Amino acid sequence: MSDFVTTVLGEENSQKDRVAATEFKRPSCHIFFDKFRICRSSWNQFHKYYIYGSMEDCSIYFQAFRSCLSYTFTKSPEAKAIMQEALEMDEIKFTSFSVWERRENPSEHWNDKS
């Protein structure tokens, strides 16, 4: 009966959330190496230069790769912070959706022949 009460009241779920928030599951180190390799590719560098006017700095991905390897054995908070920073960099991407305003209908004068 106590299992039912804790599940209904949500006490068990909140405890799982607290544990999940404190745990850090290390991603595969291959992810960081692949991101570094793709970032250093000539196509990506040309694209970044064409769009932004400068080449991309890929050192964060190499540092994250090295930190990932060391975190496997040391569980160092510095290595964890570098990996999290690299993962957060991928989440912040600016696209054309953040620049252009979305319209539902065309402008009222879109087909004027005058």
Side-chain angles (χ1 to χ4, degrees), residues 26 29 65-77 79-80 83:
R26 179 188 62 84
C29 295
F65 173 66
R66 290 177 53 198
S67 297
C68 182
L69 293 175
S70 70
Y71 185 79
T72 305
F73 301 106
T74 64
K75 306 290 189 226
S76 130
K80 177 181 170 183
M83 286 188 292

Side-chain angles (χ1 to χ4, degrees), residues 6 33 37 39 43 54 58 69 82 85 87 91 102 106:
T6 57
F33 183 73
R37 189 175 50 86
C39 179
W43 184 89
S54 63
C58 302
L69 293 175
I82 291 172
E85 180 183 351
L87 291 172
E91 292 176 6
R102 182 173 173 84

Side-chain angles (χ1 to χ4, degrees), residues 8-9 17 19-20 25 28 32-35 43 45 48 52 57 61 64 93-95:
V8 169
L9 295 177
D17 291 340
V19 170
K25 185 174 179 183
S28 174
F32 296 116
F33 183 73
D34 289 341
K35 288 182 186 213
W43 184 89
Q45 291 295 337
K48 295 294 180 177
Y52 300 110
D57 180 24
Y61 296 120
K93 294 290 182 185
F94 298 103
T95 64

Side-chain angles (χ1 to χ4, degrees), residues 1-12:
M1 183 71 172
S2 65
D3 293 334
F4 175 75
V5 172
T6 57
T7 305
V8 169
L9 295 177
E11 294 172 10
E12 184 176 333

Side-chain angles (χ1 to χ4, degrees), residues 12 16 38 44 52 55 61 83 101 110 113:
E12 184 176 333
K16 286 180 183 177
I38 291 168
N44 183 57
Y52 300 110
M55 299 213 181
Y61 296 120
M83 286 188 292
E101 184 178 307
W110 75 276
K113 303 262 185 203

